[in-house]
Each structure stands twice: as C-alpha cells, then as structure tokens.
Amino acid sequence: MTRGRLRIYLGAAPGVGKTYAMLAEGQRRRSRGTDVVIGFVEPHGRQLTAAMADGLEVLPRRACDYRDARFTEMDLDAVLARHPQVALVDELAHTNVPGCRNAKRWQDVEELLDAGVDVVSTLNIQHLESLNDVVRQITGVTQQETLPDEVARRAEQVELVDMTPEALRRRMVHGNVYPPDRIEAALTHYFRPGNLTALRELALLWLADRVEEGLQRYRAEHGIATRWETRERILVALSGGPEGETLIRRAARVAERIQGADLLAVHVMPCDGLTSGSHPALAAQRALVESLGGRYYQVVGDDIAKAILQFAQAENATQIVLGASRRRWPALTGEGVGARVTRLSGPIDVHMVTHEAAARPPALRLSGAGRGFGVRRYLAGAALAVLLLPAVTLIGQYGHFALSSLLLGYLLPVIVVALTGGMYVALATAAAGALLANYYFTPPPHSLTIASADDVVALVVFVVIAALVSWATETATWQTRRAARASAEAGALSTLAGAELGGPSLPALLEQVRQLFGLEAVSLLDRQPDGVGHRWHVVASCGDRPPEHPAGADTSVPAGPTVTLAGRGRALGDSDQRVLVACAVQIAACLDRQQLAERTADADQQIAADRARTTMLRITQQELQAPLAQLQDTLDGLGARDPLSAAQRHELAATGQASLARIATCLTDLQHLGQARAGALDIHLRPVELDDVLSAALDDLGPGGHDIVVDTPEDLPDVIADANLLTRAVTSLATNALYRSPRNAPATVTVNVLPASLAINVIDHGPRVPGPDEPGPREPARGTTGPTPDGSLPVRTARALTEAMGGTLRSYDTPGGGLTIGLQLPRAAIRS
C-alpha cells in the first residue's frame, strides 16, 4: 500500500490563518472531485473559519472522560474505517486525552499516513521540539505540546501562512482571534510586537533551512556535484596569523556589496588538535567575524587546502578569500595553500588578498612538534633518505675522507629523517647508511666483508647512535603529542567558555561542541516524568537529524542529574569523552543560568504588570467614584416619595446623563490606553487640519464643550498625526480640564506655532498639584476624591496616544494656579 502524503500549514503564532488555509485547501480539492473529510478541526469560535468548513463532510468526534470532565478527540478508528482520500486534521502537535490509543495527535496522523490516507494539518513554529527553548526565551512561555522535528521534516509539503505582527495584532484587537476577555492579556504578553517578529523570523528561517535541505537532497539524488549559486556565500579562510583581520574585513566588504550574501569564516585544525595560529588571535578574529554578522567555524584536517574546499562545497560557498602566501621561497618550499586552493577550486571564485605579512619568514618552530608520523610523513622521510644517502656517498667517493668522518656524514641524514619521518624510517636509514659505508669505504671495497675489527666497532657504534637518536626523537614526539592533546582539550574548553561568556543561545554553544568534535549533530536532552515513567525532552539541538534519545546517539555523556549531552556522527575516544564531559558540565551550568534568568525576568515582568494593573485599578476607581456617586444621588432623588416638579426631574435627568457620559468616557479612555500600551493602535499619520480636530473634540464633549475658550492663530499649518487619535487625546485633556476648572474660570485651549512643531496647550485653573516632572507625592491629598491631574486617566490616555503618534506631552503650572498640559506634534510642510 502506498503511504499517504502529509501537508503542513506552518504559522508563527495562533491566529495567522492556518486552519482557514487548511479548510480552503480542502474545499479546493473537493471541488476537483477528491474525497475529503474533516477528521478534526477546532475553529475556536472564529466565524470565518467555521464558514470555510461548510460543505465538507465532518466525521464525529470521540468523547473521552478524564478527571470528571468530558473531552472530544479525533475518532481515529472512524477515519480509518471511512478511509477518505484526504483527511483534514488540525493542531498536529496536540496532546490527546489520556485513554486514547496514541498519546499525540501526530501519532494518529502517522497511522492515517500508513493506511494510505493523505493528511493536511496545521502547526505553529513554537511547537517544534528543537525550538522549544528558543521560544521560551522569546515569549517566557514553556510549550508543553511539542512535535519532533523529524515528523515535520518528513512532510511532503510545508507551506508558511505568513502575517505581519501589525496585521495579527489588529486581528486580535478586532476580536478575530481571541474572545474580548483575553485580548488585552494576549496583546501585553505573548502577542507583543517583538515576540511576534522573533517568532516570524524563526518560522521563516526554519522553512528556509528545509528548502536548503530539499535542494541539497535533490542535488545528491540526481548526482549534481556542480555548485548552484542560489545564494552568494563568501568564505574567508583563517590561519590565525596577523593577516586575519585584513582578510575578514575584505570578505565583509565583498559580502556587503551583494544583496543577501552570507559571510562565513573557517579555520582548519590539524588532526592532532593543535592550531597553527595562536588562540588569542583566533578568538579576536572570531569576535570580529561575529560582529560583522558572519559565522565562524573550525574544521579538522591535515590537508588544509582540501579541508577548505570540502567545507566550501558543503556550505555551497561561491567565493573564497585567502591571504597571499607567507612563504619566502615558494619555488623551493613547494606549492602553498592559496595556490592549491586556487588550482582545485573549480567553479568557486578565489580572491588572493595581499597583506603586510606576505612573504615574511615565519617564526621558527620544530617542524615535527605535535604532529604524529602518518603515512605522508613516512613517505617524506623515505624520500629524504633516498636523496641524502646517495649525496653523502658521492661526497665520500670524491673526498677521500676517513671512515669516522664518513659515518658522521651518514648520521646527518639519519637525524633529518628522524625529525621528518619518525623512528622506524630513521632506523632503516641508519641501516642503509651502515651498508653503504661498508660497501664503499671499508676494505675490501665494493664488498660487504669487513677486514678490520676497528671498522666493525665503528659501524656498530654508528648504528647504536642512530638508533638512540631515533628513539629520542620518537619519545619527544610522543610527549609533544600528549602536550598537544592537553593543549587541544584546554583550547576546546577555552573556546566553549569564551562563547558562553559572549551570551549566545544553547544551540550556538552546542554548535561549538559539534565543530570541536567533528560530529554531525548534537542534542542536549533532559529526562522528565510523564506520569507513567520518564521521557527524554530535547532542550536544544544543532546539526542535521539531532538525536532525540541517548539510545539513538553515537556518543552521550551526563551533564547533570537529569541532563545528557548526546552526539551523532562518530564514536569518541576516551580522551575526547573526557573533554566532552567537561563541555557538557559547562553547557548544563549555562542552562541553569538561563533558566534562572528567565524565571527572574518572568517574575520582574509579572511584578511590573501587577503594579501597572494596580495603578490602573486605583485610577479607574478614583475616576469613577464621583460620577457613580452623582448617579446614585440621581437615582435616590428619582426614587424619593415626595413628588418632583418637572424642572427637578429635568435637572436630575441631566445630572444622570452627565454622570453616564463621564463613565462612558472613562471606559473609552481605558480601552484606548490599553490599546496604546499594547501597541495595538491602528495609526495612520498624515497632515491633519488642527481646526477640524479641535472642533471635533469640542463636539465630543457635548454641552460642556461650549464652556471651553479656544484661542488659535489664523492660518494654522497642518500637523502630522492620526486625526482620530489626536481628537481622542484632545478630548481627554479637555475633559480633565473641565472637571478641574471652577465655573468662574473656564478652561482654555491655545495653539502655538513653533519652527518644526505645533503645541496644543490645555489650560485649567484648578488646585495646584505637583506635575509629573516634579518631585513629590503622586497620591491625591487626604480628603480628596480625584487623582492627581498628571496621573488621571484622561491625561494618561492622552500621553499614551500622543507618544504613539511620535509626539510629547508635558505639564506646567498655570500662572495664578492650575495646570497646563502641553501636547506637541511635528508640523507638516507648508503647502505651496
């Protein structure tokens, strides 16, 4: 039976339209004659989403009882029995109620796919297992319902349902996502603009990686080895030398000239773990790469040129930036790294950059220090022996030297070969030298027979000395390799500690571990109880197909009581395991610090939100106290037993209407203030005629607007603002001024034309109270019922609206007593 195909609609957050898009796809397929059923769809009370399901067959759900409550889940058996061509299954990461056949809905979907049923489903980016910790850092919310990344990767199609944060927040404000009682909390917490922008970027990057994986898979399946320039990637190769910063800046300039180009840097470490450059220099160069927006990598390889090209091909690099050779005599020392990379690069462009260190002699160091004697070193030693031994023999033939001098001459190739190729090649060289000396220079000549006992002693001593030199060289090499391993371990821990101090995320630290040990993927796993036993939870991961369980890893080490660091790619030796344990401990400590910081940030945020909520409740209580008291007096008067005259009833009705109007104004101010603080205002800035705004604001005040004196100059220039929000702000300030002003001193509105802005001043003559910029208490004086003028709800609303439009609002003392609120906004250019 052919396995069904999975299609996923991916979204950055709830409310972007994933379910709607899934139902629209179902309608499209039904119109083409495909058998489509709804296995499970949750419209969440959204009318447009529910309407899109009209006409589609809906299979009944299965009722499940759990903890004295009844829930409904998808009836998997009913869908399998119906066996449609396509099943629409919402919320792929959903956790089923205990008692269902499978614990997760994605496992239900797997059964449908195995049965040959195509499935169309939905998923939010925050539910992916590998991104769980990143989402928690961004939003402060730990997602309990997660989906293994491998399930999403196996989908034949993943389509992004994208929406800008501003559009999504407008949908939220209009009630198209959550019910009214959840809107304000959502806007001020999870649906903040920064959160939505970060989640959107995560979704786009994750999908871009899947596209890149698909492209690489297509090239591998079709045997395409040539490079496809789908994106410019500039790779700079670093040796750790003084020219590194010059190369990095040059590569960064090349990348800046190309829209969307990536900057990569790579340093090749020998297989023994020693770097050719200094750790401080590489650390500084790495910091420079990351500050320029690039990514730094370390790879392992004895052949530097091939390692650079293999990395460039793996990363699909299009250009390589290299430094000019520092070799002084390239004709004698052989082809340099730059020349080899240029010769073998194929279609990859190579930039050779000159620098001050070019052609300078390198610092003197032992050629074999820290490097094991591999096959190439043996061959190099043998080649030197083949060249040097005949040379010494020829010199001896024409120089007529004594045997002792000739044996000292043969000792020189032995020492050179020992330093180059190791003990075994040096021993063979010593034996060959002894045979040549015997054949050519001991009587009888051209024979292996030795006539003199002194010559026998000389040759034996020569072989012993040569063996001792070879053994000493081998011992020194072994000790140097041990020191190299210790240096590599210290370097690994130093690199990880430096990255940790830089404050990257856990995936970035794991990427450092992956690069240091040459692994394909690394995961940080946490063992958590699930009610029945324990299950492994992926805290963070990097690489392709990271392990989700220690049993599925090639190597794993404990990082804490419940935390394990697991890697896939190759099994590590004992020394590497020891270093990996130290790295795991550091990563676990970093995890603890991040979790503590998150809890602290959550607590601070909760405290700030509680303080703001308490302040708003107090201000609202103070604002509503007077109109509610007046309304109560009005109701008491209307309910009195004594008959009232028509004038008295009219007066009471007017008082009640004024009280209700003030209550309605307070509620409107609360709504606007909440939207402004949540960043959910729909703002359209454009030139606005101020006269129209003032007239509209006075009309909104009703009869009280006639008591305000307006003093504006003629030919007012336009102001840059949102007409509706500016009208609301002026109305709030005028309401506050009317409330504070005595009857014999009406409030005044004036306008001052400044060089780059307009200032609207709302002046009252109420009692003197400290302004917002003065020290002093902000609470109302004992015995008063209203809030301070600068902290009242109307003024707070006006300030929030003004700042949302890019303006400022300040308060001043009114000469003779009272408060002046100045609202300042930029003026429009004078129209010709």
Side-chain angles (χ1 to χ4, degrees):
M1 179 182 296
T2 303
R3 179 178 167 85
R5 293 173 296 179
L6 175 62
R7 177 170 185 166
I8 297 176
Y9 284 97
L10 179 69
V16 297
K18 304 179 300 298
T19 304
Y20 187 90
M22 179 188 70
L23 292 172
E25 175 66 14
Q27 294 284 10
R28 185 182 67 83
R29 296 196 185 192
R30 186 176 72 93
S31 65
R32 296 185 311 182
T34 305
D35 182 16
V36 181
V37 302
I38 295 178
F40 186 94
V41 165
E42 186 58 67
H44 297 287
R46 301 164 191 165
Q47 297 180 356
L48 294 177
T49 303
M52 182 55 69
D54 291 344
L56 293 173
E57 180 183 351
V58 181
L59 296 181
R61 300 184 183 184
R62 176 188 175 188
C64 303
D65 294 326
Y66 180 68
R67 292 183 177 177
D68 300 328
R70 172 152 290 199
F71 303 89
T72 59
E73 298 286 358
M74 181 178 71
D75 193 336
L76 178 59
D77 292 330
V79 181
L80 290 173
R82 173 67 173 75
H83 203 278
Q85 291 178 282
V86 178
L88 307 182
V89 182
D90 205 4
E91 300 178 356
L92 186 60
H94 171 74
T95 301
N96 292 330
V97 174
C100 295
R101 181 190 307 177
N102 297 311
K104 296 285 189 177
R105 183 165 293 163
W106 65 264
Q107 296 171 327
D108 295 340
V109 169
E110 287 292 318
E111 289 198 30
L112 294 176
L113 296 174
D114 291 338
V117 178
D118 292 346
V119 177
V120 182
S121 189
T122 64
L123 178 68
N124 279 329
I125 191 67
Q126 66 263 28
H127 294 300
L128 286 172
E129 187 74 66
S130 64
L131 300 177
N132 190 267
D133 66 316
V134 181
V135 173
R136 184 176 65 249
Q137 293 172 8
I138 294 171
T139 64
V141 178
T142 301
Q143 299 292 335
Q144 301 300 328
E145 295 184 332
T146 57
L147 176 80
D149 287 44
E150 186 61 26
V151 177
R153 287 193 181 100
R154 287 200 301 263
E156 275 71 18
Q157 286 183 290
V158 179
E159 182 174 336
L160 181 66
V161 182
D162 191 28
M163 181 176 291
T164 64
E166 294 79 8
L168 180 56
R169 287 170 63 84
R170 282 198 297 270
R171 290 197 67 201
M172 179 75 68
V173 172
H174 296 156
N176 295 330
V177 180
Y178 286 158
D181 58 333
R182 297 177 58 190
I183 293 176
E184 182 176 357
L187 289 174
T188 55
H189 291 86
Y190 193 88
F191 285 82
R192 293 196 300 266
N195 290 1
L196 296 178
T197 302
L199 291 174
R200 187 187 186 201
E201 182 179 10
L202 277 180
L204 291 170
L205 291 176
W206 189 88
L207 192 59
D209 289 341
R210 302 294 78 73
V211 173
E212 181 74 14
E213 289 177 4
L215 177 62
Q216 299 299 336
R217 186 166 53 250
Y218 176 85
R219 292 177 60 192
E221 291 174 353
H222 291 77
I224 302 173
T226 58
R227 176 180 49 86
W228 285 5
E229 297 185 10
T230 55
R231 178 189 296 179
E232 287 288 340
R233 290 182 172 90
I234 315 301
L235 174 64
V236 54
L238 302 176
S239 65
E243 75 281 359
E245 294 188 1
T246 301
L247 301 181
I248 293 169
R249 292 190 174 94
R250 179 60 183 273
R253 290 196 296 271
V254 174
E256 286 176 357
R257 297 189 187 107
I258 305 173
Q259 184 69 29
D262 292 337
L263 175 63
L264 309 175
V266 63
H267 171 70
V268 180
M269 296 175 59
C271 291
D272 58 19
L274 282 179
T275 59
S276 58
S278 65
H279 282 295
L282 285 172
Q285 291 168 13
R286 172 182 184 154
L288 178 59
V289 170
E290 293 176 347
S291 69
L292 294 172
R295 300 193 301 274
Y296 176 90
Y297 297 90
Q298 284 185 342
V299 297
V300 178
D302 280 332
D303 192 327
I304 297 177
K306 285 186 177 180
I308 292 173
L309 289 172
Q310 289 173 356
F311 180 82
Q313 293 167 357
E315 294 294 329
N316 204 21
T318 57
Q319 301 181 49
I320 300 177
V321 177
L322 294 168
S325 176
R326 286 182 282 173
R327 299 190 179 196
R328 202 162 193 175
W329 301 288
L332 297 178
T333 57
E335 190 178 33
V337 173
R340 289 197 67 208
V341 171
T342 304
R343 179 169 57 85
L344 302 174
S345 63
I348 303 178
D349 299 334
V350 179
H351 302 268
M352 297 292 294
V353 179
T354 59
H355 50 87
E356 294 182 355
R360 288 185 182 176
L364 181 63
R365 63 178 184 179
L366 294 177
S367 61
R371 302 179 188 270
F373 298 102
V375 175
R376 294 182 59 197
R377 310 284 296 183
Y378 287 136
L379 294 177
L384 284 174
V386 171
L387 292 175
L388 294 177
L389 288 176
V392 173
T393 303
L394 288 175
I395 292 174
Q397 288 279 3
Y398 292 100
H400 304 289
F401 296 103
L403 180 61
S404 58
S405 299
L406 289 172
L407 291 178
L408 289 176
Y410 279 115
L411 189 59
L412 178 63
V414 173
I415 296 174
V416 173
V417 171
L419 291 174
T420 305
M423 181 177 67
Y424 299 109
V425 182
L427 289 175
T429 303
L435 290 175
L436 288 172
N438 179 24
Y439 188 79
Y440 286 104
F441 303 110
T442 60
H446 304 292
S447 170
L448 297 178
T449 303
I450 303 175
S452 173
D454 293 338
D455 293 341
V456 174
V457 172
L459 290 175
V460 171
V461 171
F462 166 75
V463 173
V464 171
I465 292 176
L468 290 175
V469 169
S470 302
W471 173 81
T473 303
E474 185 74 9
T475 302
T477 300
W478 176 74
Q479 292 176 346
T480 304
R481 292 184 66 184
R482 289 188 60 185
R485 168 56 58 183
S487 176
E489 294 176 0
L493 296 176
S494 174
T495 300
L496 187 65
E500 183 179 340
L501 291 175
S505 62
L506 282 175
L509 294 178
L510 295 180
E511 180 65 23
Q512 293 298 319
V513 174
R514 188 186 71 81
Q515 295 174 21
L516 288 171
F517 293 95
L519 298 173
E520 296 180 10
V522 177
S523 296
L524 186 64
L525 306 176
D526 185 15
R527 189 175 69 252
Q528 297 178 346
D530 60 358
V532 178
H534 292 83
R535 70 180 184 92
W536 289 97
H537 166 69
V538 179
V539 178
S541 63
C542 68
D544 183 28
R545 294 183 292 109
E548 299 178 359
H549 193 281
D554 295 318
T555 184
S556 63
V557 295
T562 62
V563 182
T564 296
L565 186 65
R568 185 183 62 79
R570 67 185 181 95
L572 301 182
D574 293 339
S575 59
D576 288 337
Q577 286 271 3
R578 185 174 64 255
V579 182
L580 187 62
V581 169
C583 293
V585 172
Q586 289 197 31
I587 292 177
C590 177
L591 174 63
D592 293 338
R593 284 193 294 271
Q594 287 189 4
Q595 291 176 344
L596 178 60
E598 291 168 7
R599 289 193 293 268
T600 303
D602 291 342
D604 292 342
Q605 182 179 3
Q606 186 64 38
I607 291 172
D610 291 342
R611 287 177 178 172
R613 191 176 297 109
T614 302
T615 302
M616 288 305 303
L617 289 174
R618 176 178 54 80
I619 292 175
T620 303
Q621 177 186 8
Q622 293 170 347
E623 289 286 340
L624 294 178
Q625 186 174 358
L628 286 174
Q630 292 177 355
L631 187 58
Q632 183 63 47
D633 293 341
T634 300
L635 294 176
D636 292 342
L638 292 174
R641 297 183 178 180
D642 297 334
L644 300 174
S645 63
Q648 290 175 326
R649 287 183 176 276
H650 179 74
E651 182 179 358
L652 289 174
T655 303
Q657 289 177 353
S659 299
L660 289 175
R662 182 155 179 77
I663 292 173
T665 301
C666 290
L667 296 178
T668 302
D669 286 344
L670 277 174
Q671 179 184 4
H672 283 91
L673 182 58
Q675 291 177 350
R677 288 186 171 179
L681 291 173
D682 194 3
I683 302 175
H684 301 282
L685 298 179
R686 57 183 180 273
V688 175
E689 293 186 8
L690 196 53
D691 289 332
D692 295 340
V693 170
L694 295 177
S695 299
L698 296 179
D699 291 340
D700 289 343
L701 292 174
H706 302 295
D707 297 333
I708 295 180
V709 178
V710 179
D711 182 12
T712 61
E714 296 182 358
D715 299 328
L716 274 176
D718 292 346
V719 65
I720 301 298
D722 183 292
N724 294 329
L725 298 184
L726 181 56
T727 301
R728 183 65 254 171
V730 174
T731 302
S732 296
L733 294 178
T735 301
N736 184 70
L738 281 175
Y739 181 70
R740 286 176 36 82
S741 295
R743 294 184 180 274
N744 59 351
T748 305
V749 177
T750 64
V751 179
N752 296 332
V753 181
L754 304 176
S757 61
L758 287 180
I760 305 172
N761 302 309
V762 182
I763 307 167
D764 67 57
H765 302 280
R768 169 69 167 84
V769 183
D773 305 311
E774 302 179 49
R778 292 289 174 267
E779 299 296 330
R782 184 179 300 276
T784 62
T785 59
T788 60
D790 66 293
S792 64
L793 183 59
V795 177
R796 286 175 178 262
T797 302
R799 175 177 283 109
L801 296 177
T802 302
E803 292 174 352
M805 294 184 290
T808 58
L809 189 143
R810 297 176 64 86
S811 61
Y812 313 90
D813 287 337
T814 301
L819 187 71
T820 298
I821 306 292
L823 185 157
Q824 191 167 326
L825 288 167
R827 56 182 288 184
I830 299 177
R831 290 174 289 187
S832 58

